[in-house]
Amino acid sequence: MRTVLVRRAVLTASAVSLALLATACGSAKAGDATFKAGAEPSAARSSAAASSAAPAGPRGRTADELGRLLVTEADLPDHRLEPVADSAAQDDPIETDKAPCKPLAQAEGMQSIGASAGVARVVASGKPRAAAQGAGPQEKADAAVAALKTTATSVALVSYDGKGAEEAFGAVKAGVEACAGGFSVTQAGERTAIESVKADTGLPGGDETVSFVTVMDLGDGDKNVTHVVVLRKGSTLATFTALSLSGDAEQPKAVVDAQAKKL
């Protein structure tokens, strides 16, 4: 029951499929097309660009360009890299009851904050320790519990034209303080209550970063703690959302470090 509740909460508030943890699907490579889910296809974007005036400042990267910058298993040998289960669902509009909190929900939900030039996504799951061959019942049980505690980190690279990345980052940073008392998120007709938001331990990387934790009340005394890191490098925003079926994820330092190096 807890797994179902967490999964539902993630689909509505974080838009990340925790089924990756439970099913341990086969891995893929980040350069594959399955990892790329730009808000606007490259061809359509090129056509639109040709018919409109060039924005002030640099142009952002396309989904194809961002896809080549995503972390791979070569960068994170202790993780399994998976395509996002349903890329189309990631772009269902997110609404919040408090305007300053919408950028937080969009960052946590792997979405662009405002108009973007391109988006690419992937999920990195820590590889749990398997029970040794010939292990007894207790060791197998311990391995199963450890697998449930594995953290899955969704990574979204979102690029913007002009100063869009700086503005999006600023909106997230301002929202962390403004939304400390919590807020509600509605996506695809599902409403989820975020109980609280608080600043998390800062992580280095990029031109600027902000980290925060959201706590979701799942009922029956169960809570789901999600760690979110937003990093800006030039015109690209990298967002990291770390979740666990146990309800208490770890801050995704290894994933953030590896992705920051590729940017």
Side-chain angles (χ1 to χ4, degrees):
M1 180 65 174
R2 180 186 181 88
T3 299
V4 173
L5 286 172
V6 172
R7 181 183 171 94
R8 182 180 179 186
V10 169
L11 286 172
T12 55
S14 303
V16 177
S17 178
L18 279 176
L20 294 172
L21 290 172
T23 59
C25 300
S27 61
K29 302 302 179 184
D32 293 348
T34 53
F35 283 81
K36 302 160 191 170
E40 189 174 336
S42 300
R45 180 175 177 271
S46 298
S47 175
S51 61
S52 62
R59 280 201 173 280
R61 295 184 172 102
T62 64
D64 286 345
E65 292 169 331
L66 292 172
R68 291 190 287 272
L69 294 175
L70 280 170
V71 286
T72 67
E73 289 187 5
D75 306 307
L76 291 164
D78 293 335
H79 289 70
R80 177 177 289 109
L81 276 292
E82 301 283 353
V84 174
D86 185 357
S87 295
Q90 306 305 318
D91 295 314
D92 285 337
I94 287 176
E95 298 299 334
T96 58
D97 63 337
K98 300 176 182 177
C101 306
K102 185 173 181 177
L104 301 186
Q106 290 173 315
E108 186 171 338
M110 305 174 74
Q111 290 196 358
S112 61
I113 301 164
S116 64
V119 182
R121 306 177 176 105
V122 69
V123 176
S125 304
K127 293 179 181 177
R129 179 181 62 84
Q133 187 173 8
Q138 185 58 51
E139 188 174 349
K140 290 180 179 179
D142 290 343
V145 171
L148 285 176
K149 293 181 179 180
T150 300
T151 294
T153 303
S154 65
V155 182
L157 300 184
V158 186
S159 196
Y160 299 83
D161 293 331
K163 293 186 176 181
E166 296 175 51
E167 293 168 354
F169 181 89
V172 172
K173 190 173 181 179
V176 173
E177 182 175 352
C179 303
F183 60 98
S184 67
V185 182
T186 301
Q187 184 180 25
E190 294 284 346
R191 182 182 178 278
T192 303
I194 302 300
E195 187 177 272
S196 64
V197 177
K198 65 178 181 178
D200 201 1
T201 303
L203 294 178
D207 298 325
E208 51 187 345
T209 61
V210 61
S211 304
F212 61 95
V213 173
T214 62
V215 178
M216 191 184 306
D217 188 350
L218 301 178
D220 297 326
D222 289 335
K223 309 283 185 181
N224 189 71
V225 177
T226 302
H227 291 264
V228 183
V229 179
V230 179
L231 177 154
R232 183 183 69 82
K233 179 64 177 179
S235 62
T236 298
L237 220 60
T239 65
F240 307 84
T241 303
L243 301 136
S244 171
L245 284 173
S246 70
D248 192 5
E250 299 176 348
Q251 193 178 41
K253 185 178 186 305
V255 180
V256 173
D257 288 346
Q259 184 61 77
K261 290 178 181 178
K262 300 198 74 169
L263 293 176

